Every structure is written in structure tokens, then in C-alpha cells.
């Protein structure tokens, strides 16, 4: 069986690293993001779309479904938009709900007929340890927590069709999103690393390996689960 994986936000960070790992395993990969990947590969395809725009997502989903028989959907794209309660707005929640939840639903609905026809599929979310709560994460924490509820619901509905649905929930990972909040190589970054039980901040490859477990066609008995890749930060409190 050949495999085609759609990765939202597959152009950089965790998404780009996962794309390379899947290409190395002979997958065809489609990145859906605002910008094309910086690297090229014969089996790497790119569709540019802003996932905050519902219509753009629908058009991208239709384009990909028309060209590819998608077996894997990895919803990796995300934004943080940190704000204390006093500065947070309902529109923050609406926007991130579209990005983190609504776009995933639109994409899955487009790819689901092919998955059901094959009686095989792998659906994954890039969640966050912030789903457990974190200061300044009103919209982000709420919508990342929503991923867990949606994944569990989808897991129940899709299990009879050979489709698993799982969440990888990273803690602090050294990516542009992280450095947008914490200055790179700063004392704050060093202090944060010391507060994580394993004594370091995560790397993108830490997260990629978790996704590869859920991607594996042989792992058909694990669904509806959330795997925290956080160096133990999900066990206790952590402030960034």
C-alpha cells in the first residue's frame, strides 16, 4: 500500500522535520501552509493556503483530494497569540478555533471518502501541553484542549473503518513559535530548561518520533490517545 500524508504547516519547524522523515519512508507528502517548503523533493508537494481563512481551507482541501488519495492527515499548523485575560478577546478564540479545529474538520471531510474506501487512515493533531493550562494561553489552551475532545470523538466514529485518531501534545520545543515568546539562548530559555524534569527543552525530532509511531500502519490498536512529549512538564506546573 502506498501512503500519502497531508501535513498542515509542513513548510517549517516540526512539520518540515516530519515531512522529511516520511519522505525517507517513501511517503508522498503534501504540505498545506501559507508558504512553500524551503526544500524540494520529487514526492513533496505544496499547496499554499491560510488556514485562518475557512474558504481558503475548503479550496485547498478540494484541490488535494482531487489529486491525491490521502491516507494520513497530520494537523500540525498552529499559532499561539498569547495574552493575559485583560488583553484577550473573544475574536482570539474564534480565530484559533478556525485554525486548530475548523480547518482540521474541513480537511478530514475531504479526505475521509478515500480513507473509508481503503478501510485505512491515520489522523493526528499537533496539540500542546498548554491544553492542561498555562498563563497567557486563554485562546490557545482552549482550542488545543478542543483538539483532544475532537480527536476522541473522531476515534470512536472512525475506528470501525480502520482509521485511528491521536494527538501528540508537545511541551516547549525549540521552534520559531517558541522563540517568538522566549528570546533564543536567553537566560529565560536556560531557566525554563532547568524547570523541565528532564533538564532540557525539546527538539523537533522529539516530536517527529512520536508522530511516526502514530503514522505506522502496524499501530492499529492505539486510537483516541494523547501523548505528551514534554520532558515531564505535563506532570507538574510550568510557566513560560
Amino acid at each position: 500500500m502506498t501512503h500519502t500524508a497531508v501535513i498542515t504547516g509542513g513548510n517549517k519547524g516540526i512539520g518540515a522535520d516530519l515531512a522529511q522523515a516520511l519522505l525517507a519512508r517513501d511517503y508522498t507528502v503534501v504540505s498545506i501552509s501559507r508558504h512553500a517548503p524551503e526544500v524540494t523533493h520529487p514526492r513533496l508537494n505544496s499547496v499554499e493556503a491560510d488556514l485562518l481563512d475557512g474558504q481558503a481551507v475548503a479550496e485547498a482541501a478540494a484541490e488535494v483530494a482531487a489529486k491525491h488519495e490521502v491516507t494520513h492527515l497530520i494537523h500540525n499548523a498552529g499559532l499561539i497569540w498569547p495574552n493575559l485575560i485583560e488583553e484577550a478577546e473573544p475574536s482570539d478564540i474564534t480565530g484559533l478555533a478556525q485554525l486548530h479545529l475548523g480547518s482540521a474538520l474541513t480537511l478530514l471531510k475531504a479526505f475521509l471518502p478515500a480513507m473509508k474506501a481503503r478501510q485505512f487512515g491515520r489522523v493526528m493533531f499537533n496539540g500542546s501541553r498548554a491544553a492542561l493550562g498555562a498563563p497567557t494561553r486563554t485562546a490557545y489552551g482552549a482550542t488545543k484542549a478542543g483538539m483532544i475532545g475532537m480527536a476522541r470523538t473522531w476515534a470512536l466514529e472512525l475506528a470501525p473503518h480502520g482509521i485511528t485518531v491521536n494527538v501528540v501534545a508537545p511541551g516547549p520545543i525549540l521552534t520559531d513559535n517558541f522563540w517568538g515568546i522566549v528570546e533564543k539562548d536567553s537566560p529565560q530559555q536556560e531557566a525554563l530548561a532547568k524547570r523541565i524534569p528532564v533538564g532540557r527543552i525539546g527538539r523537533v525530532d522529539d516530536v517527529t518520533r512520536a508522530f511516526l509511531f502514530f503514522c505506522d500502519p502496524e499501530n492499529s490498536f492505539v486510537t483516541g490517545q494523547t501523548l505528551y512529549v514534554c520532558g515531564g512538564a505535563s506532570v507538574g506546573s510550568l510557566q513560560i
Side-chain angles (χ1 to χ4, degrees), residues 8 57 73-77 96-109 112 123-127 131 141-159 163-168 223-226:
T8 63
V57 178
L73 170 61
I74 301 107
H75 187 41
N76 162 75
L96 291 189
Q98 162 56 31
L99 173 60
H100 294 153
L101 302 172
S103 61
L105 177 59
T106 298
L107 292 167
L108 180 61
K109 288 174 70 174
L112 198 51
V123 180
M124 285 148 278
F125 288 91
N126 190 349
T143 53
K144 288 293 187 175
M147 284 182 169
I148 295 173
M150 196 156 74
R152 289 166 67 91
T153 297
W154 290 359
L156 293 172
E157 291 189 24
L158 299 178
I163 301 167
T164 64
V165 187
N166 292 288
V167 180
V168 174
T223 193
Q225 302 305 304
T226 299

